[in-house]
Amino acid sequence: MAQCVQSVQELIPDSFVPCVAALCSEEAERLTRLNHLSFAELLKPFSRLTSEVHMRDPNNQLHIIKNLKIAVSNIITQPPQPGAIRKLLNDVVSGSQPAEGLVANVITAGDYDLNISATTPWFESYRETFLQSMPASDHEFLNHYLACMLVASSSEAEPVEQFSKLSQEQHQIQHNSDYSYPKWFIPNTLKYYVLLHDVSSGDEQRAESIYEEMKQKYGTQGCYLLKINSRTSNRASDEQIPDPWSQYLQKNSIQNQESYEDGPGTITSNKNSDNNLLSLDGLDNEVKDGLPNNFRAHPLQLDSSSDPSNSIDGPDHVKSTSLLHETKKANTGIIHGACLTLTDHDRIRQFIQEFTFRGLLPHIEKTIRQLNDQLISRKGLSRSLFSATKKWFSGSKVPEKGINELKNTSGLLYPPEAPELQIRKMADLCFLVQHYDLAYSCYHTAKKDFLNDQAMLYAAGALEMAAVSAFLHPGAPRPYPAHYMDTAIQTYRDICKNMVLAERCVLLSAEILKSQSKYSEAAALLIRLTSEDSDLRSALLLEQAAHCFINMKSPMVRKYAFHMILAGHRFSKAGQKKHALRCYCQAMQVYKGKGWSLAEDHINFTIGRQSYTLRQLDNAVSAFRHILINESKQSAAQQGSFLREYLYVYKNVSQLSPDGPLPQLPLPYINSSATRVFFGHDRRPADGEKQAATHISLDQEYDYESSQQWRELEEQVVALVNKGVIPSNFHPTQYCLNSYSDNSRFPLAVVEEPITVEMAFRNPLKVPLLLTDLSLLWKFQPKDFSGKNNEVKELVISKPEMIGAEVISEFLINSEESKVARLKLFPHHIGELHILGVVYNLGTIQGSTTIDGIGALPGCHAGNHCLSMTVRGRQDLEIQGPRLNNTKEEKTSIKYGPDRRLDPIITEEMPLLEVFFIHFPTGLLCGEIRKAYVEFVNVSKCPLTGLKVVSKRPEFFTFGGNTAVLTPLSPSASENCSAYKTVVTDSTSVCAALTSSASSVDFGIGTGSQPEVIPVPLPDTVLLPGASVQLPMWLRGPDEEGVHEINFLFYYESVKRQPKIRHRILRHTAVVCTSRSLNVRATACRSNSLEDEEGRGGNMLVFVDVENVNTSEAGVKEFHIVQVSSSSKHWKLQKSVNLSENKDAKLASREKGKFCFKAVRCKEKEAATQSSEKYTFADIIFGNEQIISSASPCADFFYRSLSFELKKPPAQPSVQTEKQSVEDAVRLIQKCSEVDLNIVVLWKAYVVEDSKQLILEGQHHVILRAIGKEAFSYPQKQEPPEMELLKFFRPENTTVSSRPSVEQLSNLIKASLHYPESFNHPFHQKSLCLVPVTLLLSNCSKADVDVIVDLRHKTTSPEALEIHGSFTWLGQTQYKLQLKSEEIHTLQLKACFVHTGVYNLGTPRVFAKLSDQDTVFETSQQNSMPALIIINNV
């Protein structure tokens, strides 16, 4: 139980005090009424004695009484009605609320910190009123009248006569059988005569004389002269006199301090508010007319106008109370005791003292003696007589029976003079004067007698008081007999069905147990008495039980909370809304955040309901909000109900302050970090053959790698524009901001271009949410970035001339669904924009769920208007930036950077480019050339310039060369609308080469340029507003098969320089799927033939293998090789050496073709202008049309395939001199074997598609770098290097050997033998056959070379002889020569044969070294082919 102001030792004596009746004449009543008090009320503040009192017990022992208090009340002849008592108790509880600003106790139990009010003043008020208003009953005498004051006024005509009248009246009330109420303690009641004298108006002499007369008649002990009203009431304002009556009157009057909330603001007012001030003392505020002593009804009588059903505890009881202000007026306007001075106060105090000392206590002492004597004298006779009678009738003495065996004999009544009752009377008297020892023994005796007689009501009363007496006995020789109380409670409740007495027992016993710290037993006792018959009592007892649980040595927190909830529920049923709300809030501290979500929901729901009823709308809103924002485990119907209640309450809140700020709504959840912001227009859909650039849109997922690639592309083009340096203030353009992008700077948006904000909503409920009129909430600060700042304006209200906002009229989020909404803003002015959040109406769908069993709030019927109820509110978008982790301070603390994606700066107009691709293919063969068109449109109001496109795959596309001559504008009227520039050739011409030349600079590829950045050839380099330009674009399928994503980044600038944005970009990702077509491989080798038309310079054979690797799914029937072209600075193809006369080179599926071409060096004049980057193109045609390979697009793609070779930096000249000569030598030797001949194979493919025949065309490139080394048109897969064992020792020579490889040395000198293929010799005439052979040695390098020719056969093994056959060289066997740069030398040799046969002449071994080198690189020059000669016999 909670702490109380009074201890139990003070509480019980104050609850059971001697009762005194007061009977006043009308004149006397008038005198006291001048003070707005009845006589009984006048005495009330002074009814406690200030000093100790002494009396003697029957054994003549002195007994001291401390703090004695008496209760004086007007005689009332009607017992109080139970309904009225209930109403009084209800009002007392509702009138007592926790004080404002009361500091609550903080109790820490386990991991709970609870704020709990330590005291419960409403319970104490209830208890005091309950004990005071208990009706008198026959089985106990504690509240029977012991004495009666008869009061008359000195101003009456015949006061003495008036006294005798009053005396008769009292006698009549006590002894006439018409009056069963009130109850009197003993037949000869003490009568005390009081003469009231009004000092201010009365005659003092007369009063004194009357008093003398009274003393003669009634004796000095039996009368008193009380002087009051020492001043007139109109002087009241002069000095302030304390008012000790207010606290007593307030407690007992049903007037309340606070108005009731009976629903939404209805307070029932009563016209006769004065009559409504019922008090415990039976006088109304005015004296009624009629006879002086017409005994009025009991003040607790219910008004006939009041609720006839007396259902005080009904939950919806509408209390009939006065209006708040009337009540206040009635209370504050009246000054009690206005005619009394402090002297009068002392006189009244003195009067009570006199009455008690002289009248009441001697009377009680005498009565106790009499009763004691009676009992002693009667004991022998009547006790034995009684028991004898019993024995005759029942056979033997009845033992004390257990309560459960006893029959329901509570109906047994004793006559008033029965000896058992005399014992009880004596016990009660002793108890009232605090003689607990004697009282206990009397109660104990009476208890035995009552139990013997099975008079259960009497027995229970004796048990109850025996237990209390035992506890209060100061010496406490015996422990508190709690089982007495338990038996008494059970008897009252179960046998006598008297809940009022049972309740008194429980209240007393619980207090006693609490004082002994037996909280557990006290709680059990309190809980036992909760029942359905009174909600108020059950609520108060449950609350006290809860306090017991929390006050235990080890507090039981959850039990406390559970019983608080039960108490709150019962308070709610009893109509005590404030107390109910308080209980639920106290319990919530325990259940909050412990994962008991259903319990939390229930409590929050109830708190919301009660707060709403009490018009605490903000609390109601926050409670309902909690139910909705926690992850609810409720059913869909329940959630729907919660949501509707919430909306209903919110509606009421917003109606109270329609102009207030928009409230924050709890639903739906917004995942603010997932918010994405997009600057710019939505992408246009594809329109037939027109396909818009993909650019960036909110539909694309973020990919870190691709964003890095785009960033690199942008950096490349910015660096090129800024002369190779990226400016320090450069930041990559970001059109779409999300949680991955860098949001630390204010993003830049362009005026008149929309800003789209995508928000991720999630509905946590199982019921759908309908958001209507959804739009963004923003504030805007217009600024002029060039000049001075304008005044700062906060524009939260929609000003469409500044910022237009899109509104989504309906946005439905289904149950437990996550859904994104995209909202646009249209800035029409430059300045700073801040997007704050969203504003919308929240509602549910009509009829989505049925109303649950809880019952809707008043005004919320199950009609359409309730289910479709909406409230307007907002939610803010607050995005936490990334955690900072750079400095030491940031690493050690948790700091977050800013996230500014919602705060764009609106800048001036910029050009806006749109790009459309027309006839852009999605599938190509490898190497296939296709022509498409690109349309550039400027959709803004500013001209744009400096348009460039940058791509990582420049070999994929071209816009044609720089000169118009080289670029075919439209396909020429040739046989098949080819993408190439073609010329019809004369069919008679042999397969000889047609040459032309072109410079790589014309195609945008020089040594210093960046091939990835390609300027777009706009006419006049400017695109005006609204203008559009179509340009041709040639595409070539990449050489690897598969799916290729090719990124284009278009870069452009405004003609007018902007301070904030320097350039803009547009992205496009083309996806092309390529399938296999041809594989081309080529090798070059030295020609051994002598027929060199130019004499020197040398020539080569080029072998080209073409294989059709196309799988037939592309529908390709066959490939035609239409032309093979060469391109080089030094070499050109001269003619085709194919043997077959069939000019048409067709390759069906999986076929292979082999071509052989003769290549010659270009003439000096052609090759001289090397620095001009001129390439010579030679075309060998297999069809009847020449494709001009030096024009677009053939040359473009050829140069692009070369471009990454050109990007390689030239080798740096070495610094170290001792090594330099060696390295130079190596370089010279390497140069011999180098060729830079590039082969372009052009082809057509015939495809059948939808029974139509299409012709595709394409080209493959092979770059020949060295003689004898095979080159391929398709990238070779590199084999991973095999694992090597680790070497743990240091190699001695760390310098890299710079010896040239054998292969390179073998190409230093070219040796060829010239001889007849067959030779006839008559062996029978001449046995030796001599054949002349010419050995041709040519120096391929630019340096002097020393050569050694050794003709001796290697005698390695007999097998070698077999191969060479037996022939010998005649003459010199070794020659030493020096060949100058590129010199050709001939040696005449003779070979000698002795048999016919086939011989290999290729045996001479040639050694070479550079003549100016000390180091000798000597190695045999291997001949590439065997030189076979046939010797015939003639």
Side-chain angles (χ1 to χ4, degrees):
M1 292 173 79
Q3 297 167 14
C4 294
V5 180
Q6 284 183 308
S7 72
V8 66
Q9 279 82 1
E10 297 167 329
L11 168 77
I12 297 175
D14 272 9
S15 306
F16 299 100
V17 294
C19 293
V20 179
L23 198 51
C24 300
S25 71
E26 209 159 297
E27 185 61 25
E29 194 61 59
R30 188 186 65 76
L31 287 182
T32 57
R33 272 290 158 212
L34 292 171
N35 295 296
H36 300 290
L37 297 164
S38 71
F39 180 71
E41 287 170 347
L42 183 73
L43 305 183
K44 197 152 244 156
F46 312 104
S47 59
R48 189 184 294 279
L49 298 188
T50 49
S51 58
E52 289 182 354
V53 192
H54 299 203
M55 66 174 278
R56 295 200 173 270
D57 64 9
N59 302 331
N60 221 17
Q61 297 291 315
L62 193 67
H63 171 59
I64 298 170
I65 307 169
K66 294 179 182 172
N67 270 337
L68 182 64
K69 180 181 167 187
I70 62 169
V72 182
S73 56
N74 291 339
I75 291 184
I76 288 149
T77 55
Q78 296 267 314
Q81 285 188 2
I85 294 177
R86 285 208 300 270
K87 178 163 180 15
L88 174 66
L89 293 172
N90 225 341
D91 294 345
V92 163
V93 173
S94 62
S96 174
Q97 297 291 341
E100 290 292 325
L102 179 76
V103 180
N105 279 20
V106 177
I107 293 182
T108 305
D111 51 353
Y112 296 97
D113 284 333
L114 308 178
N115 277 339
I116 293 169
S117 56
T119 58
T120 48
W122 49 92
F123 172 69
E124 291 175 52
S125 304
Y126 170 85
R127 188 177 58 197
E128 185 185 335
T129 310
F130 170 78
L131 292 170
Q132 278 178 13
S133 64
M134 279 197 71
S137 58
D138 285 329
H139 77 288
E140 63 179 20
F141 305 95
L142 289 163
N143 52 2
H144 291 198
Y145 286 134
L146 274 164
C148 181
M149 290 181 183
L150 304 171
V151 189
S153 164
S154 63
S155 60
E156 297 196 38
E158 296 290 339
V160 180
E161 198 180 304
Q162 186 67 47
F163 278 130
S164 44
K165 251 193 200 168
L166 291 172
S167 179
Q168 285 165 17
E169 202 174 309
Q170 188 275 331
H171 190 273
Q172 193 184 357
I173 291 171
Q174 182 171 354
H175 298 293
N176 192 334
S177 56
D178 293 349
Y179 295 103
S180 63
Y181 201 87
K183 307 280 186 193
W184 301 89
F185 209 100
I186 47 175
N188 54 341
T189 306
L190 167 70
K191 291 180 184 170
Y192 195 75
Y193 299 89
V194 182
L195 183 65
L196 269 189
H197 174 61
D198 188 324
V199 178
S200 58
S201 63
D203 179 356
E204 191 141 343
Q205 295 298 124
R206 181 162 185 259
E208 290 289 348
S209 67
I210 295 169
Y211 181 47
E212 284 303 321
E213 198 181 328
M214 284 166 62
K215 276 202 260 187
Q216 246 95 60
K217 189 168 181 186
Y218 306 121
T220 50
Q221 309 285 319
C223 56
Y224 194 82
L225 170 62
L226 177 58
K227 297 179 181 176
I228 58 166
N229 296 0
S230 299
R231 61 175 186 172
T232 49
S233 55
N234 56 7
R235 291 218 340 263
S237 55
D238 298 356
E239 51 179 315
Q240 278 295 307
I241 295 275
D243 176 4
W245 291 273
S246 54
Q247 52 175 332
Y248 294 99
L249 297 178
Q250 292 240 325
K251 262 183 193 167
N252 299 332
S253 73
I254 297 187
Q255 199 183 23
N256 323 342
Q257 296 81 11
E258 291 196 45
S259 68
Y260 279 90
E261 303 287 352
D262 294 324
T266 59
I267 297 175
T268 327
S269 77
N270 232 359
K271 301 284 182 296
N272 51 351
S273 65
D274 281 353
N275 298 352
N276 214 29
L277 296 171
L278 304 173
S279 69
L280 272 181
D281 316 352
L283 280 157
D284 282 289
N285 285 10
E286 76 234 45
V287 179
K288 298 221 174 166
D289 311 331
L291 287 170
N293 296 315
N294 57 339
F295 298 108
R296 287 172 292 287
H298 193 281
L300 292 180
Q301 198 86 32
L302 274 170
D303 227 356
S304 57
S305 66
S306 202
D307 187 6
S309 65
N310 291 355
S311 62
I312 301 292
D313 290 331
D316 297 317
H317 171 65
V318 177
K319 286 157 218 69
S320 154
T321 58
S322 24
L323 273 169
L324 178 58
H325 62 92
E326 277 188 45
T327 311
K328 285 262 167 74
K329 195 163 63 190
N331 249 353
T332 52
I334 297 173
I335 300 172
H336 300 292
C339 302
L340 302 176
T341 59
L342 288 176
T343 319
D344 291 336
H345 288 200
D346 290 340
R347 285 180 185 140
I348 297 169
R349 204 172 280 119
Q350 185 63 39
F351 160 62
I352 294 287
Q353 201 100 342
E354 282 291 312
F355 165 70
T356 314
F357 282 19
R358 301 271 180 88
L360 185 61
L361 282 179
H363 176 66
I364 291 175
E365 194 174 317
K366 189 174 87 188
T367 311
I368 291 178
R369 273 222 169 83
Q370 280 175 0
L371 288 169
N372 192 43
D373 296 345
Q374 273 182 18
L375 291 174
I376 289 169
S377 62
R378 262 196 213 177
K379 225 170 202 171
L381 167 72
S382 77
R383 183 69 36 189
S384 53
L385 180 68
F386 262 75
S387 41
T389 338
K390 276 185 199 141
K391 274 180 192 158
W392 294 334
F393 284 105
S394 61
S396 68
K397 187 174 190 315
V398 183
E400 268 195 48
K401 294 187 179 169
I403 183 157
N404 294 329
E405 305 164 36
L406 293 165
K407 301 188 296 297
N408 183 2
T409 52
S410 57
L412 174 64
L413 288 174
Y414 289 100
E417 62 281 352
E420 285 85 356
L421 288 193
Q422 304 309 316
I423 299 182
R424 170 74 209 228
K425 264 185 193 172
M426 180 172 163
D428 284 350
L429 267 180
C430 294
F431 188 85
L432 289 174
V433 293
Q434 303 175 13
H435 200 317
Y436 299 119
D437 191 15
L438 187 53
Y440 175 75
S441 56
C442 292
Y443 283 131
H444 201 268
T445 312
K447 173 204 73 160
K448 283 184 182 167
D449 290 348
F450 293 141
L451 281 175
N452 284 340
D453 298 341
Q454 295 195 2
M456 294 319 296
L457 180 62
Y458 294 88
L463 281 164
E464 174 188 7
M465 296 318 291
V468 176
S469 305
F471 171 71
L472 287 175
H473 182 45
R478 53 184 78 79
Y480 167 62
H483 59 287
Y484 279 17
M485 274 297 197
D486 294 346
T487 310
I489 294 168
Q490 210 170 337
T491 310
Y492 282 145
R493 194 183 62 186
D494 300 341
I495 295 176
C496 310
K497 303 279 185 257
N498 190 329
M499 291 305 284
V500 177
L501 290 169
E503 183 178 351
R504 182 180 70 184
C505 261
V506 167
L507 292 176
L508 296 176
S509 185
E511 272 303 327
I512 293 169
L513 289 167
K514 183 186 86 172
S515 71
Q516 298 175 333
S517 297
K518 295 182 178 171
Y519 288 110
S520 177
E521 292 88 337
L525 199 61
L526 291 160
I527 293 165
R528 241 170 74 195
L529 205 71
T530 53
S531 61
E532 286 307 311
D533 63 328
S534 167
D535 287 314
L536 182 64
R537 179 184 70 229
S538 302
L540 288 159
L541 296 186
L542 282 165
E543 185 181 10
Q544 292 306 310
H547 278 286
C548 287
F549 289 124
I550 203 74
N551 284 324
M552 287 180 175
K553 196 181 256 175
S554 51
M556 301 172 84
V557 182
R558 287 202 295 273
K559 260 198 154 82
Y560 161 78
F562 182 63
H563 285 85
M564 273 310 223
I565 295 285
L566 295 176
H569 176 62
R570 297 304 285 268
F571 271 131
S572 176
K573 282 174 74 179
Q576 300 279 353
K577 305 289 184 200
K578 286 189 181 175
H579 286 299
L581 179 58
R582 182 182 47 73
C583 288
Y584 274 103
C585 291
Q586 297 243 306
M588 189 59 181
Q589 301 177 75
V590 176
Y591 289 109
K592 196 165 56 190
K594 292 284 184 289
W596 296 32
S597 62
L598 294 175
E600 272 190 76
D601 286 353
H602 169 76
I603 297 170
N604 272 317
F605 182 72
T606 314
I607 289 175
R609 272 273 173 102
Q610 300 289 10
S611 303
Y612 176 76
T613 319
L614 292 169
R615 310 307 286 163
Q616 299 177 6
L617 295 178
D618 291 345
N619 292 355
V621 164
S622 70
F624 279 121
R625 184 189 173 92
H626 274 295
I627 309 180
L628 297 176
I629 59 177
N630 294 337
E631 293 293 336
S632 176
K633 297 188 174 63
Q634 302 283 3
S635 65
Q638 193 64 43
Q639 289 181 359
S641 161
F642 285 163
L643 181 59
R644 284 193 303 280
E645 296 262 355
Y646 173 76
L647 295 176
Y648 177 73
V649 172
Y650 230 134
K651 195 93 173 158
N652 282 301
V653 175
S654 52
Q655 280 166 359
L656 289 180
S657 53
D659 303 329
L662 279 176
Q664 292 280 350
L665 292 176
L667 291 172
Y669 291 178
I670 296 181
N671 179 2
S672 48
S673 65
T675 305
R676 299 195 294 164
V677 184
F678 176 70
F679 301 101
H681 296 278
D682 291 345
R683 186 177 163 240
R684 291 198 194 173
D687 177 20
E689 289 293 318
K690 256 194 189 187
Q691 179 196 351
T694 54
H695 196 44
I696 307 158
S697 79
L698 286 168
D699 299 326
Q700 296 164 359
E701 288 297 313
Y702 175 82
D703 176 25
Y704 176 75
E705 284 180 17
S706 72
S707 68
Q708 283 303 103
Q709 287 171 8
W710 288 115
R711 181 184 177 136
E712 285 163 21
L713 289 175
E714 189 176 354
E715 282 174 355
Q716 258 183 314
V717 66
V718 169
L720 183 84
V721 170
N722 289 287
K723 307 188 175 51
V725 182
I726 295 177
S728 59
N729 62 349
F730 165 75
H731 298 296
T733 310
Q734 291 182 323
Y735 283 114
C736 182
L737 302 177
N738 51 29
S739 51
Y740 305 105
S741 53
D742 174 14
N743 305 323
S744 55
R745 291 179 310 280
F746 293 105
L748 300 174
V750 178
V751 71
E752 303 298 344
E753 289 186 21
I755 299 167
T756 310
V757 180
E758 179 189 271
M759 280 162 302
F761 288 113
R762 183 169 72 81
N763 176 5
L765 302 182
K766 299 188 179 79
V767 285
L769 295 176
L770 182 64
L771 311 186
T772 50
D773 297 341
L774 175 67
S775 62
L776 289 169
L777 197 62
W778 46 268
K779 68 177 182 187
F780 181 67
Q781 216 169 308
K783 275 197 178 171
D784 183 8
F785 292 112
S786 53
K788 61 186 187 313
N789 264 10
N790 291 8
E791 56 180 308
V792 176
K793 295 178 198 157
E794 297 261 325
L795 300 172
V796 183
I797 328 121
S798 54
K799 278 212 175 180
E801 67 272 13
M802 289 285 184
I803 307 279
E806 179 193 20
V807 177
I808 298 179
S809 59
E810 283 198 354
F811 186 73
L812 177 67
I813 313 175
N814 284 319
S815 58
E816 297 180 328
E817 180 188 22
S818 296
K819 193 171 178 182
V820 294
R822 291 180 186 163
L823 290 160
K824 286 198 178 71
L825 290 177
F826 303 94
H828 304 311
H829 198 287
I830 60 172
E832 292 175 8
L833 177 65
H834 302 280
I835 299 166
L836 305 173
V838 272
V839 56
Y840 55 92
N841 298 328
L842 174 65
T844 57
I845 305 181
Q846 291 194 19
S848 56
T849 50
T850 55
I851 286 202
D852 65 325
I854 291 184
L857 276 171
C860 179
H861 312 296
N864 289 352
H865 73 282
C866 172
L867 293 169
S868 58
M869 183 180 294
T870 58
V871 293
R872 186 89 176 149
R874 63 187 274 180
Q875 273 203 68
D876 292 345
L877 284 171
E878 287 166 1
I879 305 177
Q880 189 179 54
R883 179 157 177 199
L884 300 175
N885 204 17
N886 301 326
T887 62
K888 184 182 177 185
E889 186 191 349
E890 286 170 359
K891 283 176 180 164
T892 50
S893 60
I894 297 179
K895 283 191 177 177
Y896 292 92
D899 191 301
R900 302 217 165 97
R901 66 183 101 157
L902 295 173
D903 304 319
I905 292 174
I906 314 295
T907 63
E908 295 161 37
E909 277 190 310
M910 281 291 286
L912 185 62
L913 176 72
E914 281 191 2
V915 178
F916 297 97
F917 296 87
I918 304 162
H919 302 303
F920 200 88
T922 53
L924 291 170
L925 294 171
C926 292
E928 182 189 341
I929 306 280
R930 191 79 68 86
K931 186 177 186 180
Y933 287 90
V934 191
E935 186 174 6
F936 297 98
V937 188
N938 181 356
V939 292
S940 68
K941 294 179 180 161
C942 306
L944 67 85
T945 183
L947 180 57
K948 295 177 175 51
V949 59
V950 56
S951 173
K952 282 268 187 284
R953 304 283 294 270
E955 69 278 5
F956 172 68
F957 68 100
T958 176
F959 288 107
N962 295 356
T963 50
V965 186
L966 296 174
T967 309
L969 282 176
S970 59
S972 54
S974 58
E975 57 177 4
N976 62 352
C977 293
S978 165
Y980 289 113
K981 185 171 182 180
T982 54
V983 176
V984 180
T985 53
D986 184 8
S987 57
T988 56
S989 67
V990 197
C991 294
L994 303 163
T995 59
S996 59
S997 68
S999 164
S1000 65
V1001 180
D1002 287 345
F1003 292 96
I1005 291 166
T1007 41
S1009 72
Q1010 264 197 323
E1012 284 98 341
V1013 182
I1014 298 158
V1016 176
L1018 287 177
D1020 307 331
T1021 70
V1022 172
L1023 195 56
L1024 295 171
S1028 69
V1029 171
Q1030 263 196 25
L1031 295 177
M1033 181 189 216
W1034 286 270
L1035 309 169
R1036 176 175 181 271
D1039 286 320
E1040 297 142 89
E1041 67 164 330
V1043 177
H1044 302 267
E1045 277 197 3
I1046 294 154
N1047 292 337
F1048 299 91
L1049 185 129
F1050 295 94
Y1051 165 100
Y1052 56 99
E1053 297 169 3
S1054 173
V1055 175
K1056 190 174 82 181
R1057 288 289 287 225
Q1058 296 287 11
K1060 294 265 183 198
I1061 308 180
R1062 291 292 161 87
H1063 68 269
R1064 301 192 85 178
I1065 59 169
L1066 175 72
R1067 302 175 181 179
H1068 176 62
T1069 302
V1071 180
V1072 175
C1073 182
T1074 53
S1075 46
R1076 290 190 289 185
S1077 54
L1078 298 177
N1079 271 356
V1080 182
R1081 52 175 72 189
T1083 46
C1085 53
R1086 300 238 186 259
S1087 159
N1088 284 339
S1089 63
L1090 262 172
E1091 44 176 323
D1092 182 4
E1093 298 148 10
E1094 308 297 328
R1096 43 198 303 119
N1099 47 21
M1100 284 188 306
L1101 288 179
V1102 178
F1103 294 95
V1104 180
D1105 288 5
V1106 183
E1107 182 186 0
N1108 174 359
V1109 291
N1110 179 259
T1111 49
S1112 51
E1113 69 246 16
V1116 181
K1117 279 200 304 187
E1118 55 187 7
F1119 284 91
H1120 288 224
I1121 308 300
V1122 290
Q1123 180 172 316
V1124 177
S1125 301
S1126 71
S1127 164
S1128 167
K1129 290 183 187 177
H1130 310 294
W1131 294 84
K1132 62 180 182 183
L1133 292 183
Q1134 190 189 29
K1135 61 178 182 181
S1136 164
V1137 202
N1138 270 24
L1139 301 175
S1140 69
E1141 286 303 309
N1142 181 10
K1143 278 181 68 177
D1144 217 4
K1146 288 183 191 165
L1147 292 177
S1149 181
R1150 290 290 175 191
E1151 280 189 347
K1152 225 181 203 177
K1154 207 172 180 70
F1155 298 87
C1156 181
F1157 302 100
K1158 181 177 174 189
V1160 295
R1161 278 187 183 275
C1162 301
K1163 299 188 179 70
E1164 279 301 319
K1165 66 173 187 294
E1166 284 179 10
T1169 55
Q1170 199 180 346
S1171 61
S1172 70
E1173 302 285 335
K1174 279 270 185 199
Y1175 282 74
T1176 304
F1177 288 82
D1179 302 339
I1180 291 176
I1181 304 148
F1182 293 102
N1184 53 358
E1185 256 187 336
Q1186 178 197 359
I1187 293 171
I1188 300 170
S1189 56
S1190 59
S1192 280
C1194 181
D1196 293 80
F1197 289 117
F1198 157 66
Y1199 282 128
R1200 302 245 155 128
S1201 67
L1202 269 187
S1203 65
F1204 62 92
E1205 301 292 331
L1206 292 170
K1207 270 182 89 174
K1208 289 180 182 171
Q1212 294 294 320
S1214 181
V1215 187
Q1216 298 124 322
T1217 46
E1218 67 272 14
K1219 277 193 189 169
Q1220 196 160 4
S1221 54
V1222 181
E1223 286 180 0
D1224 288 348
V1226 172
R1227 210 168 291 120
L1228 274 170
I1229 292 170
Q1230 282 173 348
K1231 272 203 126 162
C1232 302
S1233 59
E1234 271 179 17
V1235 197
D1236 63 335
L1237 175 62
N1238 307 295
I1239 304 292
V1240 182
V1241 176
L1242 294 114
W1243 48 264
K1244 286 185 181 170
Y1246 291 87
V1247 178
V1248 177
E1249 199 177 271
D1250 304 336
S1251 71
K1252 284 205 297 255
Q1253 178 163 308
L1254 301 175
I1255 300 177
L1256 309 178
E1257 51 196 347
Q1259 62 189 58
H1260 280 76
H1261 313 125
V1262 185
I1263 297 173
L1264 286 169
R1265 291 261 169 256
I1267 290 178
K1269 200 172 180 187
E1270 201 168 21
F1272 303 91
S1273 67
Y1274 49 95
Q1276 292 305 100
K1277 287 192 176 67
Q1278 287 194 333
E1279 291 296 318
E1282 287 183 15
M1283 287 175 72
E1284 288 183 357
L1285 291 173
L1286 281 173
K1287 297 185 177 76
F1288 287 102
F1289 55 90
R1290 180 186 287 169
E1292 287 94 41
N1293 184 13
T1294 52
T1295 57
V1296 180
S1297 160
S1298 51
R1299 287 177 69 82
S1301 67
V1302 175
E1303 196 184 354
Q1304 288 166 336
L1305 281 173
S1306 67
N1307 292 325
L1308 195 58
I1309 295 289
K1310 192 170 95 173
S1312 50
L1313 293 165
H1314 293 258
Y1315 54 89
E1317 279 183 23
S1318 63
F1319 193 84
N1320 297 341
H1321 178 73
F1323 280 101
H1324 57 278
Q1325 296 174 5
K1326 200 173 183 183
S1327 59
L1328 292 179
C1329 166
L1330 300 177
V1331 180
V1333 177
T1334 308
L1335 173 63
L1336 193 72
L1337 296 170
S1338 56
N1339 178 2
C1340 297
S1341 73
K1342 299 261 198 245
D1344 297 352
V1345 180
D1346 292 347
V1347 183
I1348 298 172
V1349 182
D1350 193 350
L1351 296 181
R1352 284 174 296 184
H1353 289 308
K1354 269 187 190 161
T1355 52
T1356 46
S1357 61
E1359 286 88 2
L1361 290 175
E1362 290 299 315
I1363 300 164
H1364 297 310
S1366 47
F1367 84 96
T1368 50
W1369 294 102
L1370 299 184
Q1372 207 174 327
T1373 55
Q1374 206 179 38
Y1375 297 87
K1376 284 194 176 175
L1377 313 163
Q1378 187 179 42
L1379 295 182
K1380 297 271 182 278
S1381 163
E1382 297 189 350
E1383 180 190 342
I1384 299 173
H1385 187 85
T1386 52
L1387 285 177
Q1388 300 300 332
L1389 310 176
K1390 279 201 175 105
C1392 170
F1393 303 89
V1394 289
H1395 295 294
T1396 55
V1398 180
Y1399 297 92
N1400 180 7
L1401 294 177
T1403 61
R1405 288 187 297 157
V1406 182
F1407 298 87
K1409 80 175 178 69
L1410 295 176
S1411 47
D1412 58 349
Q1413 287 289 327
D1414 311 332
T1415 330
V1416 181
F1417 309 119
E1418 281 200 334
T1419 178
S1420 166
Q1421 292 285 345
Q1422 301 139 0
N1423 270 322
S1424 50
M1425 296 176 198
L1428 299 180
I1429 185 167
I1430 305 167
I1431 303 294
N1432 296 325
N1433 188 8
V1434 181

